[in-house]
Every structure is written in C-alpha cells, then in structure tokens.
Amino acid sequence: MMSNIDHGLSFIDIMVFAIYVLIIIGVGLWVSRDKKGVEKSTEDYFLAGKSLPWWAVGASLIAANISAEQFIGMSGSGYSIGLAIASYEWMSALTLIIVGKYFLPIFIDKGIYTIPEFVEKRFNKRLKTILAVFWIALYIFVNLTSVLYLGGLALETILGIPLMYAIIGLAVFALVYSIYGGLSAVVWTDVIQVFFLVLGGFMTTYIAVGFIGGSDGWFSGLSKMVAAAPDHFEMILDQSNPQFMNLPGIAVLIGGLWVANLYYWGFNQYIIQRTLAAKSVPEAQKGIVFAAFLKMIVPFLVVLPGIAAYVITSSPELMASLSDMAMTNVPSAAHADKAYPWLTQFLPVGVKGIVFAALAAAIVSSLASMLNSTATIFTMDIYKEYIAPDSGDHKLVNVGRLTAIVALIIACFIAPMLGGIGQAFQYIQEYTGLVSPGILAVFLLGLFWKKTTSKGAITGVLASIPFALFLKFMPLSMPFMDQMLYTLLFTMTVIAFTSLSTSKHDDHPRGISLTSEMFVTDKGFNIASYGIMIILAVLYTLFW
C-alpha cells in the first residue's frame, strides 16, 4: 500500500539511481572519445558527424523535448486542468509529420548547422544576428533556468535537498557527460534516457491509478478517476471552465497551438539539430515519425499521474489512508507542480529509484541538449562570424565547450528566482508565445513565398513583439493562444506588405526554389503518418 512507504530514497533506490548515473556518464564519455590521431571537427562536435540512424534521431528528439517541463509542469497542469493539456503532446505528433515532410528537406538541402545560419542564407546577416542573440537569450534565461528550477523543485520535494544544491547537482551532472563529446554524447545517452523516461513514467501512472482502484484493480482505478473528476477528462474545454483562458476550446485545435508547435518543432535549434545530424533526409524523416509515435504516449506517462494526484487529494477517504509522512508537500491549486514529486514518495522500494532516474533523465537530457544548441549558435553564428572568423575546428570546439559552461553558470544563478510561478508549463508556453509568432511568420514566408524580402522579415519580427505585448496587457480577456494566432497573422501581413512595397523584383534574389521532388516521402513514412492521424482522431473522439 502507498501508505506504508517512507519518504526519501532507500539504499536500493540509491543503488538503482547510481547505476543509471554510471551508465549515462560511461556511455557519454565512451562516445566522446577522439579517434586515434584525429581531432573533433565542428561537424563531429555540433552535428555528430551527420551519422545518426533514425531510431537515435527519434529517441533523442523525445529526450530533448521531455523535461521537467513535462514531468513536473505538465503533471501540474494535469492536476489543475486535466487531460486537455495533452493537446500539446498529441498535436505535436501531427506537427512532427508536417515538419518532416515540408520543412526538413529544405534545411538539410541547405547543409546548415544552425537555424540562424539558414536565416542568413535566405535573408541576410543582420536578421541572422538578431535571431541568434534572441535564441541564446531565450535558451539561457527561459529554457535552461526553467528546467533547472523545476528539476531542483522535484529533488527538494522528493529528497528534501535545498533548492540551490539540487540545481547545482543537476547542472554538474549534465556537464560531466555532455560537455566534452558534444552532440554525439547527448544523442547516444538520450537513447538510454528515453528508456528510463518511459519505464519510470509508466510505473508512476500504474501505481498511482492502482492505488485509487484499491483491491478492485487498475482499470477500476481509472473508472473511479473518471467518475470522481469528469471535467478532468475533457479534451475540449467550454467557456464555463475556469481553465478556458489557458486552453480555449476548439481554438486549441485550429488556432494558436499550431503557432507554438510549428515554431517549437520546426525552428527550434535544440530540437531540429538532431534531424540535421541524421545520415540522410529519409533517415531523419523516419526518426521524426518514430518521435511522433512516442509523443502520443507521453500524456499517459505525465498527465495521468497529475490527474491521479488531484483525485487522491480531493478524496478525504483516500487521504485518510495515507501516512503522516505523505501529508507533507501535498499539491494544491496554488502549488500544482508538486503533484508528480509528491506521488513519487509513495512508490515501492526499487521502483522509486527507477522513477527518480526517469526524472533525472528528463532533466539532464534537456539541459544537455539546450547547452549544446546554445554553444552551437554562439560559436557558429556569433564567435566565428564576428570575433574570430579564421578560427580552426579545434578552437571552435573549445569555444563551444566554454560557452556551454558559462551559459549553465548564468542559468544556475537565475533559476532559484523562478519560485512561485504556479503552473510552470503554462507559464513557459505563455511567455515564449510573445516572440514565437513573429519568428514563425518569418520562416513560413521565407520558406514558401519567394517575394519575402529581408527588410520585410526584419520589420515584421520587430513589430511582432510590441503587438503581442499590446494584446497581452490590454484588458481584452483574450486567451494567450488566440493572442499568438493574431500576432502571427499580423506579422505575416506586415512582412507581406513591406516586401511588396520595397522590392523591385518579382522574386527576392535569395528566394528558395521549391520542387515537388523535394517533398516526396517514402512509403513507410506515409503509412506511419496515416496511422498517427487515425490514432489522433480516435483519441479526440473518445475524450472530446
């Protein structure tokens, strides 16, 4: 029974976790080693030598994506909102198919290292630099800091470790195995991390739902959850729902969520970098469709535990069966992000070690990915471009390593300041959403409309942020997803108008020539894509 489990980790749990740490560090250092007499090139360090097979690409995409933001933040949103938050995951599966078919072939055809590098090839150096600086700031001050904070919060809740020590411990762990080997070390350890992620998430879900079912079994527990909190199993919220402003009904499927997903999966350096490192376009596309299948199971690993925590804490009978120790750090509406760490207190000996390893895997794999991408953008788009253009590969690789260390130190200082932000997952989405529509508009028109000019792109992206801030802070009572959609449409209009009024040519000289052959996908990709769309239709029909 959950009530008989003690707080903290037992010796067996610590041993399980220690074995996980040794495996990750061992594999990371093994794949990081230099071949005899051969130094790492920038392609080796930043793009893993462009040698990744599809299954490594897919696993690494998920490991980079699934972080404390999901395990802690999305479980917290599951506690507060329910299954509706799963739209972020399930719509991502569909987004990945679009990215794999229509965006990826263009990027790989251009032979780029970074997304800002693509911006220079399509537009100009000035816009590339603006976006490179923006992304470095976003990764350090939003992504790295939020992952460190949420990860530290989990360790503080589970083990009672002071927040700052927990943050430093996670940072050191991520650095130890990733800093020397670059993307190769990150990706190959990600394959192992995904195993722990899925296993740990499944075990937490199974035990939490089973506890609610009691002697009647797991499926009875699921039925009791639906009966106890029917509003937590609605995918499409109506306006009477207090969480409508976060997930505005049908607009989730046809509006602003597309902005968030297309930006994140299509033009986010620490995500797309894995696909750029694939052996070939078909191999990258197979990896993307594999990631899409994995994405569809994520809500069952991270959202269901949050709902289970809500049902348990809302039931006097279930709460009465818990030990006194379990009454500490209880999640609430104001502290929803404690849901997942709180549940881990009740796992059996041994299982808790695996789940703790899964949490650590989620955190450090994302940290490593963000560090590698921050280093890649700074080294290739700022340092090589403006500071030392004649630097050789050895110098650039060392600059990348130093960049990652400095970025992590800054994030460690800022992370503890994020306390008290409520639903962290929603917070991150909302504030990233102030800038993502403008970036997405630039890329969509730059990719698919030849008349898009550099002046139009710069004007549009600079105009998008004040427009987004206007929508956010005016008393319009508008869900932030709707704000994102309107900002995207506004920015695209500004870019189009500026491009047409300033260009003397029918087409921009750097416009991309697209052919139908670029978007041909093999039979396996097509069948898998149709399968994903059918599964999504079934899921939304069941939980509408």
Side-chain angles (χ1 to χ4, degrees):
M1 287 290 293
M2 289 167 80
S3 57
N4 295 326
I5 307 305
D6 292 326
H7 184 67
L9 296 181
S10 69
F11 176 75
I12 293 173
D13 293 319
I14 293 170
M15 289 303 297
V16 168
F17 181 71
I19 291 168
Y20 152 75
V21 170
L22 290 174
I23 290 172
I24 295 301
I25 292 176
V27 170
L29 294 178
W30 171 256
V31 299
S32 299
R33 72 197 191 286
D34 291 329
K35 294 174 185 175
K36 193 172 182 181
V38 180
E39 288 187 347
K40 280 186 177 63
S41 67
T42 50
E43 185 174 287
D44 291 332
Y45 190 79
F46 296 118
L47 290 182
K50 291 194 174 182
S51 62
L52 299 182
W54 65 268
W55 49 271
V57 171
S60 188
L61 279 169
I62 296 303
N65 167 242
I66 303 301
S67 175
E69 187 180 324
Q70 273 76 16
F71 265 98
I72 310 302
M74 192 167 276
S75 287
S77 292
Y79 182 97
S80 297
I81 301 172
L83 197 59
I85 198 68
S87 279
Y88 277 98
E89 305 301 298
W90 288 342
M91 294 299 286
S92 289
L94 189 54
T95 307
L96 277 163
I97 294 170
I98 294 169
V99 169
K101 186 170 179 68
Y102 295 109
F103 299 172
L104 195 59
I106 303 174
F107 289 152
I108 292 182
D109 179 64
K110 293 290 181 183
I112 60 173
Y113 280 77
T114 70
I115 293 295
E117 185 185 353
F118 171 80
V119 173
E120 181 179 17
K121 289 187 176 185
R122 174 58 181 88
F123 295 110
N124 61 27
K125 190 182 292 187
R126 186 165 52 151
L127 181 58
K128 179 195 82 165
T129 305
I130 290 170
L131 293 185
V133 171
F134 154 73
W135 268 308
I136 291 169
L138 183 70
Y139 289 156
I140 294 174
F141 296 107
V142 177
N143 295 109
L144 282 170
T145 52
S146 61
V147 170
L148 282 169
Y149 167 70
L150 289 171
L153 180 69
L155 298 191
E156 184 182 49
T157 305
I158 296 169
L159 301 178
I161 299 173
L163 184 65
M164 193 64 207
Y165 292 141
I167 287 169
I168 292 171
L170 290 168
V172 170
F173 184 15
L175 273 183
V176 164
Y177 80 85
S178 69
I179 192 69
Y180 186 73
L183 190 62
S184 287
V186 174
V187 170
W188 291 112
T189 51
D190 277 351
V191 174
I192 302 166
Q193 309 273 36
V194 163
F195 170 77
F196 280 99
L197 283 174
V198 174
L199 181 62
F202 171 76
M203 286 179 164
T204 305
T205 300
Y206 182 80
I207 291 170
V209 177
F211 173 70
I212 294 169
S215 58
D216 296 329
W218 193 88
F219 287 103
S220 173
L222 199 56
S223 298
K224 288 178 180 178
M225 284 172 62
V226 175
D231 58 318
H232 273 57
F233 286 89
E234 295 173 358
M235 288 299 299
I236 307 299
L237 307 182
D238 59 38
Q239 283 188 297
S240 64
N241 192 299
Q243 296 291 341
F244 182 81
M245 292 296 286
N246 287 325
L247 292 162
I250 195 72
V252 170
L253 302 186
I254 60 176
L257 186 54
W258 281 105
V259 179
N261 276 340
L262 285 170
Y263 163 77
Y264 180 87
W265 292 104
F267 309 110
N268 186 342
Q269 178 69 25
Y270 80 83
I271 292 297
I272 209 72
Q273 192 163 341
R274 278 125 185 80
T275 59
L276 301 178
K279 292 177 179 178
S280 62
V281 174
E283 203 76 4
Q285 289 171 330
K286 287 178 189 172
I288 275 185
V289 86
F290 175 46
F293 273 111
L294 291 175
K295 205 73 178 128
M296 287 192 294
I297 70 169
V298 169
F300 299 105
L301 308 179
V302 298
V303 180
L304 269 186
I307 301 174
Y310 173 80
V311 171
I312 293 168
T313 56
S314 301
S315 168
E317 183 183 345
L318 290 173
M319 289 296 286
S321 67
L322 299 177
S323 65
D324 291 340
M325 187 64 73
M327 302 308 289
T328 60
N329 289 313
V330 177
S332 62
H335 300 285
D337 287 333
K338 289 188 175 182
Y340 200 95
W342 180 71
L343 282 177
T344 63
Q345 296 182 70
F346 315 129
L347 299 173
V349 170
V351 172
K352 189 187 287 189
I354 294 172
V355 171
F356 190 56
L359 266 175
I363 296 159
V364 298
S365 62
S366 291
L367 285 176
S369 299
M370 292 167 189
L371 288 172
N372 186 261
S373 293
T374 305
T376 304
I377 292 176
F378 178 81
T379 304
M380 304 304 290
D381 296 317
I382 303 294
Y383 184 84
K384 187 180 180 183
E385 191 71 59
Y386 296 103
I387 300 172
D390 298 325
S391 296
D393 281 1
H394 179 71
K395 175 72 172 176
L396 293 174
V397 168
N398 285 335
V399 168
R401 289 169 177 153
L402 181 61
T403 302
I405 293 170
V406 172
L408 198 54
I409 290 171
I410 294 169
C412 283
F413 276 108
I414 297 171
M417 303 176 191
L418 296 185
I421 58 176
Q423 289 183 56
F425 183 81
Q426 291 293 100
Y427 172 86
I428 293 164
Q429 303 308 317
E430 185 170 347
Y431 281 90
T432 304
L434 291 175
V435 290
S436 56
I439 307 296
L440 180 61
V442 167
F443 277 102
L444 289 179
L445 291 178
L447 285 171
F448 301 111
W449 191 47
K450 282 187 178 182
K451 296 181 189 295
T452 310
T453 65
S454 302
K455 189 170 185 178
I458 292 172
T459 304
V461 79
L462 293 178
S464 70
I465 296 177
F467 185 79
L469 290 169
F470 169 78
L471 292 181
K472 177 171 178 59
F473 292 109
M474 288 297 286
L476 302 173
S477 297
M478 183 188 296
F480 77 87
M481 279 194 189
D482 292 347
Q483 294 171 24
M484 289 169 67
L485 178 62
Y486 294 137
T487 303
L488 174 72
L489 296 175
F490 168 80
T491 308
M492 292 177 81
T493 303
V494 170
I495 293 172
F497 179 80
T498 308
S499 297
L500 290 173
S501 61
T502 58
S503 177
K504 298 176 183 177
H505 310 283
D506 288 339
D507 293 331
H508 189 268
R510 296 193 183 189
I512 298 171
S513 297
L514 303 176
T515 62
S516 57
E517 287 76 20
M518 291 180 72
F519 305 116
V520 173
T521 45
D522 61 29
K523 188 176 179 181
F525 179 89
N526 295 337
I527 292 172
S529 299
Y530 286 126
I532 287 167
M533 287 187 274
I534 291 168
I535 294 169
L536 286 172
V538 170
L539 286 170
Y540 274 95
T541 302
L542 282 174
F543 296 110
W544 191 271

